[in-house]
């Protein structure tokens, strides 16, 4: 009886997470357009609905009804399956994220995490890195040179920065001694000063930079930058298949924002009089805003400069950070 | 002129009534070599040909080739001409592409348009017209209505393979060939660059132009002088006013008239405004190409403000057609000065905002510095002018070296770079916007009153009330519209400093109301021919910036 309840609860949670995060991802595109527009002294979408809020619906209808073109020479099964990988892995990764603190509904305690596995961080990083196959396979199956270049850029970017994000996380995990995100959150329940960012500022910085690279955000948005490689791996995609890549990308952004908030910025612990649930929403919103702000402010780097930054600057710094943390712990 | 050239070739040339040195074909190359090496004529402005088939004065032969050279101080211009005799059914001249890099494409264009062969040219093939095109369109016996359907794409391997062999690539199995353009998001018009890639490194590059070729020069030979003005708008469509001015200025030189002072000042003010928007387009597009999106709006909003002003003044936004031969179309409207001040304020604000985003940005520096470098000597040899040449450290600006329209009386500086990379080319343009604002402010202060068109019945249109109310006015209007402004016989070259550099017109008149021959010297054309050299050794991401920083405008490149 109990097991069935757990299964039902998990399924409900999964559906809710899928629906809410997909909605948030779509809404994030709207927010991105609006925020960028105001930073660039224009209005952004204005015509569909009040302040263009229904633009989302219009875009959705457009994506769903657009013709799905499959190039003649593409490797068809792979070309068709590749876009599914992006959102699939992005949402799977969210299984181990505790979105909110525990709450009680009708006397039933809900933990807003689909599965509290004891290697949560490892799981998220692992599943998220499988997401790399989406652009890689898409680019290689398209038989398009731009797509191929985009796929190559994706692999170098994501593979390299995974090393940095992994190493950056190692130091705080050494302090906490657990890979479960709930434990990590509870470790920081001592108020503002117990946030890990104060103990591990360098790790926070490195993880945030790697987060920009792994979610393909400016200044590392190289894998589909229009002016250089047309549309990268997505050049030959149209309609909803193209849209799936985007949903995956924005879902990844939300995952990274949650990870940074939970691991470094005190998670969903209440702060002053603000309850934890509101607190974490503020944190992820702020981090997503940072994504947008950077996009509006900076140009982006060249692939070789990105590699230089990764292997010659960030990775050594991450190693030094681990070393220092280790020495302090001993 | 007391030069080595004149001493050495004393009896071998004669100067015709247009001030052009006429040489025998056999001495041509030696003469140009002497001019380059001993008299410091290091800059080849242009090469063109004239077909005298229907000219109303007998000439020694049907075809002549004209060379325009400038010395290192850019003050003196020398024009050379050789008459080309037909030999065994073939026309040929010695190529000078080993002396001047810019001669390479210029000679290809002459071959393309006139069918004159250049001996020892490394790669004499068509440049503006399609490779399947039959005949030579600028010959007088080629009918203007004869269109041709060309279907095959040039794979450009005939140029690519020798370039790869030069670099030591015997086989190219490991390389990826890629077309950057003609329909690429960052190709700024329809420009095709064909590259051989190793990873993302560009091993070798070849460019192909002509996608926007619309036979501008042939059209000009079939229209009256005033009808050509709207065509010139479409050359460099980012700064149509400056093209109008360059053309009108040349025709006025042939007519030997000086436009009224007020018209000259109006040309300076609107021309500098035009230069500003030209630079704004280049900067905005260049910055967007490296992902700095916001700058696009910061720089395009003021451009939009200038366009509002121009449409209020000229009636058109992009293709203004504001100049007339002998003056300008309309005087400033009431309240122009306030609008102009608002424009300048918005330009200064937009530029300041954009600079504050990139000026001290490490990413911007890393992306632009030492990318697409061209040194001063190469830049001159390759025929660079304008901001692109000044970025390499050569202070050549026609407004300073050969002042026109009272430019000598304005206080402004020439912006020069030091390295000649993308960074310098962008920064020189930022600085030139500031200098243009200075010129506009000074010109507005001393703007004289008076007429805006020369008061000459043979040149300028009569007033509308005369046309409607008396027969003299009507006849005058009719003659000017129907026959065009009668320009005295002669061959004439004049240039102004346009947004991209030296924009010159070489016009041959047979005394009628339509030019017998007209050749534009577009500043983009030589710059584009040097693009492959700038790209090689860089990466795909750099190629976009190099192309953007040269500000190639397909309209004037392809004509």
């Amino acid at each position: 009886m109990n097991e069935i309840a757990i299964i039902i609860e998990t399924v409900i949670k999964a559906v809710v997470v899928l629906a809410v995060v997909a909605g948030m991802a779509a809404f994030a595109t709207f927010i991105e357009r609006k925020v960028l527009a105001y930073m660039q002294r224009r209005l952004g979408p204005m015509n569909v609905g009040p302040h263009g809020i229904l633009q989302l619906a219009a875009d959705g209808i457009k994506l769903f009804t657009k013709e799905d073109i499959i190039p003649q020479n593409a490797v068809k099964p792979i070309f068709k399956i590749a876009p599914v990988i992006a959102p699939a892995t992005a949402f799977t990764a969210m299984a181990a994220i505790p979105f909110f603190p525990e709450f009680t509904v009708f006397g039933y305690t809900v933990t807003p995490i689909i599965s509290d596995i004891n290697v949560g961080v490892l799981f998220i990083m692992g599943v998220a890195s499988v997401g790399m196959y989406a652009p890689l396979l898409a680019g290689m199956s398209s038989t398009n040179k731009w797509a191929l270049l985009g796929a190559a850029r994706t692999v170098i970017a994501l593979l390299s920065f995974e090393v940095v994000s992994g190493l950056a996380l190692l130091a705080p995990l050494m302090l906490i001694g657990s890979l479960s995100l709930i434990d990590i959150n509870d470790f920081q329940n001592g108020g503002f000063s117990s946030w890990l960012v104060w103990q591990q500022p360098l790790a926070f910085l490195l993880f945030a930079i790697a987060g920009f690279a792994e979610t393909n955000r400016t200044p590392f948005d190289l894998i589909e930058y229009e002016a250089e490689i047309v549309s990268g791996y997505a050049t030959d995609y149209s309609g909803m298949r193209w849209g799936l890549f985007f949903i995956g990308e924005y879902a990844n952004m939300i995952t990274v924002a949650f990870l940074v908030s939970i691991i470094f910025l005190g998670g969903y612990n209440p702060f002053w009089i603000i309850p934890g649930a509101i607190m974490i929403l503020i944190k992820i919103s702020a981090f997503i805003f940072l994504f947008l702000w950077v996009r509006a402010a900076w140009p982006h780097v060249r692939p070789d400069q990105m590699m230089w930054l990764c292997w010659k600057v960030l990775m050594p710094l991450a190693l030094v950070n681990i070393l220092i943390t280790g020495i302090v712990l001993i | 002129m007391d030069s080595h050239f004149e001493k050495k070739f004393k009896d071998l040339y004669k100067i015709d009534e247009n001030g052009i040195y006429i040489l025998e074909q056999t001495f041509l190359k030696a003469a140009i070599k002497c001019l380059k090496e001993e008299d410091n004529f290091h800059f080849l402005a242009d090469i063109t040909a004239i077909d005298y088939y229907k000219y109303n004065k007998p000439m020694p032969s049907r075809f002549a080739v004209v060379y325009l050279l400038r010395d290192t101080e850019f003050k003196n211009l020398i024009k050379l001409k050789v008459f080309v005799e037909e030999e065994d059914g073939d026309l040929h001249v010695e190529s000078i592409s080993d002396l001047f890099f810019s001669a390479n494409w210029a000679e290809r264009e002459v071959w393309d348009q006139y069918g004159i062969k250049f001996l020892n040219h490394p790669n004499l093939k068509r440049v503006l017209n399609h490779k399947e095109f039959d005949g030579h369109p600028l010959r007088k016996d080629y009918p203007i209505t004869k269109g041709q359907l060309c279907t095959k794409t040039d794979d450009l391997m005939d140029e690519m393979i020798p370039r790869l062999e030069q670099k030591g690539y015997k086989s190219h199995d490991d390389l990826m060939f890629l077309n950057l353009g003609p329909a690429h998001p960052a190709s700024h018009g329809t420009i095709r660059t064909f590259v051989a890639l190793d990873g993302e490194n560009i091993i070798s590059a070849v460019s192909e132009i002509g996608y926007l070729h619309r036979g501008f020069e042939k059209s000009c030979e079939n229209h009256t002088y005033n009808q050509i003005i709207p065509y010139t708008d479409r050359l460099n469509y980012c700064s149509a006013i400056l093209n109008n001015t360059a053309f009108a200025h040349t025709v006025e030189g042939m007519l030997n008239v000086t436009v009224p002072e007020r018209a000259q000042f109006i040309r300076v003010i609107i021309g500098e405004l035009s230069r500003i928007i030209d630079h704004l387009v280049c900067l905005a597009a260049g910055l967007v190409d490296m992902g700095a999106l916001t700058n696009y709006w910061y720089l395009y909003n003021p451009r939009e403000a200038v366009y509002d002003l121009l449409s209020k003044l000229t009636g058109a936004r992009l293709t203004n057609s504001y100049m007339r031969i002998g003056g300008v179309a309309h005087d400033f409207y009431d309240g122009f000065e306030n609008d102009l001040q608002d424009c300048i304020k918005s330009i200064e604000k937009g530029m300041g905002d954009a600079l504050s985003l990139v000026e001290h940005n490490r990413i911007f520096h890393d992306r632009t510095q030492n990318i697409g470098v061209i040194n001063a000597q190469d830049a001159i040899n390759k025929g660079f002018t304008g901001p692109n040449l000044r970025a390499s450290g050569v202070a050549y600006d026609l407004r300073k070296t050969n002042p026109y329209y009272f430019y000598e009386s304005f206080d402004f500086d020439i912006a020069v770079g030091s390295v000649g990379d993308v960074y310098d080319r962008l920064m020189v343009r930022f600085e030139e916007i500031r200098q243009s604002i200075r010129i506009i402010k000074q010109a507005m202060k001393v703007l004289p009153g008076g007429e805006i068109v020369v008061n000459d019945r043979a040149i300028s249109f009569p007033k509308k009330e005369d046309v409607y109310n008396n027969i003299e006015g009507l006849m005058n209007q009719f003659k000017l519209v129907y026959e065009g402004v009668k320009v005295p016989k002669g061959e004439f070259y004049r240039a102004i400093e346009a947004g991209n550099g030296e924009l010159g017109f070489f016009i041959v008149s047979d005394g009628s109301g339509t030019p017998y021959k007209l050749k534009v010297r577009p500043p983009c054309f030589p710059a584009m021919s040097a693009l492959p050299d700038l790209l090689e050794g860089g990466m795909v991401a750099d190629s976009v910036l190099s192309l953007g920083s040269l500000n190639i405008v397909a309209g004037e490149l392809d004509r």
Side-chain angles (χ1 to χ4, degrees), chain B residues 3-20:
Chain B
S3 60
H4 293 94
F5 164 70
E6 294 206 332
K7 276 180 214 142
K8 225 169 171 177
F9 292 86
K10 210 169 179 182
D11 304 318
L12 300 172
Y13 68 82
K14 62 178 199 286
I15 303 177
D16 72 0
E17 67 279 7
N18 303 309
I20 300 178

Side-chain angles (χ1 to χ4, degrees), chain A residues 202-219:
Chain A
L202 187 59
F204 167 72
L205 218 61
L206 294 173
F207 188 73
I209 293 173
F212 275 83
E214 282 174 14
T215 51
N216 183 28
R217 302 294 307 179
T218 311

